[in-house]
Structures are given as structure tokens and as C-alpha cells.
Amino acid sequence: MTSAKAILEQAEQRRATGQLAYAGAVTPEEAMALLNADANVRLIDVRTRAELDWVGRPQVPDGQYANVEWVRYPGGVPNEHFLEQLTSQAPDRNAPLLFLCRSAARSKAAAKVAYEAGFTKSFDILEGFEGDKDSAGHRKHVSGWCFRNLPWIGA
């Protein structure tokens, strides 16, 4: 098993390689390993409440999960209170935060905004919760948290 330190070093290497605007990126498996290794790590799910209700969410250790919507449903309007809500859910700006969305688009944007606001260990979870679409247009069959058989709670 890879240590939390080694995972974070790999995530930071991805930052350098990909010229990311946040602390780095982790795979879904690395995210789960970090959550299990360090009680200070928080998974910040930026999907809408509707997505959680209809699709499900990761099952992670107690106290390490928070939902802070990046956009609101319905309408897809930006959550103007994102940073305020993030701060209330993750008050330690030096704790590792792992941002997750459906397919790793919104999570990248959220990690960037959090990083710029002083959350120094803001990481994107690559592939997202549902991952990319397959040839039939369905998710959860190509990549992502669910595809990787990581624990999750269905809708």
C-alpha cells in the first residue's frame, strides 16, 4: 500500500506536469487511500444536491465528507456562497481537500478557486464520480469512482 505522503507527492508531481492551478490531482483510488490514512483529509463533493439524490455519493469515513455545490440546481447558476460554505465545512485551510464532481470538470474549477482563496492543499479527484461516457452515452462504465469499485451509496 502506498503511503499518504507518497500519494500527495505524486499528486503534486501531476500539478507540475500538468501546470495545474491548484495543489495537484489524485486518482479515485488514491483519494480513498488518503481518506483512510488521514482523518484530516476531507472529500468535498461539488455536485448538486439533485445529483446526490439521484445518482449517489462516495462512502467515506465519518466526518470526512461534505457537499458544497459549485453550481445550483435547477438552472446551473454559480453558487455565490461557495467559499463561505467551503470554509464552514473545512475550516482548516492547510488540511488536504479532495474535490469531486461527476466527471472532473467542476471539481477542477472548485479546486482552483479554493486554492486561490488560501486552501493550500486543494486537490482534484481525476475521473470524477461517474467518469466519462461510454460509446452508448452512459457513465460509470469507463472511468470514475464508481467504475473503480470504490465504496459508494446509491440513490
Side-chain angles (χ1 to χ4, degrees):
M1 182 156 107
T2 306
S3 73
K5 181 181 178 196
I7 292 170
L8 290 174
E9 287 172 357
Q10 176 64 37
E12 291 165 359
Q13 180 59 44
R14 289 184 187 111
R15 173 195 167 114
T17 302
Q19 298 180 344
L20 305 177
Y22 38 88
V26 296
T27 67
E29 295 93 342
E30 290 169 342
M32 192 72 228
L34 284 170
L35 288 157
N36 286 327
D38 184 348
N40 292 319
V41 175
R42 305 268 304 185
L43 189 150
I44 308 297
D45 194 331
V46 300
R47 295 175 299 147
T48 65
R49 186 75 222 165
E51 288 174 285
L52 302 182
D53 291 345
W54 297 335
V55 179
R57 70 173 188 84
Q59 185 175 15
V60 302
D62 288 343
Q64 291 182 262
Y65 176 87
N67 173 234
V68 182
E69 294 178 317
W70 179 247
V71 296
R72 300 283 188 196
Y73 178 85
V77 297
N79 177 2
E80 61 189 33
H81 302 290
F82 176 78
L83 283 173
E84 175 185 326
Q85 292 169 357
L86 178 62
T87 300
S88 74
Q89 294 292 323
D92 181 356
R93 290 180 179 253
N94 296 310
L97 302 180
L98 311 177
F99 289 87
L100 177 76
C101 69
R102 181 188 66 202
S103 57
R106 288 170 286 174
S107 58
K108 286 174 176 47
K112 179 182 185 290
V113 165
Y115 185 81
E116 290 171 350
F119 291 89
T120 60
K121 295 181 182 173
S122 294
F123 297 90
D124 175 45
I125 299 177
L126 300 166
E127 301 178 10
F129 185 67
E130 295 181 76
D132 295 324
K133 291 180 182 177
D134 65 14
S135 60
H138 301 283
R139 296 189 187 273
K140 298 185 184 173
H141 301 281
V142 176
S143 59
W145 188 279
C146 297
F147 175 75
R148 304 286 174 204
N149 293 314
L150 296 168
W152 63 285
I153 301 165

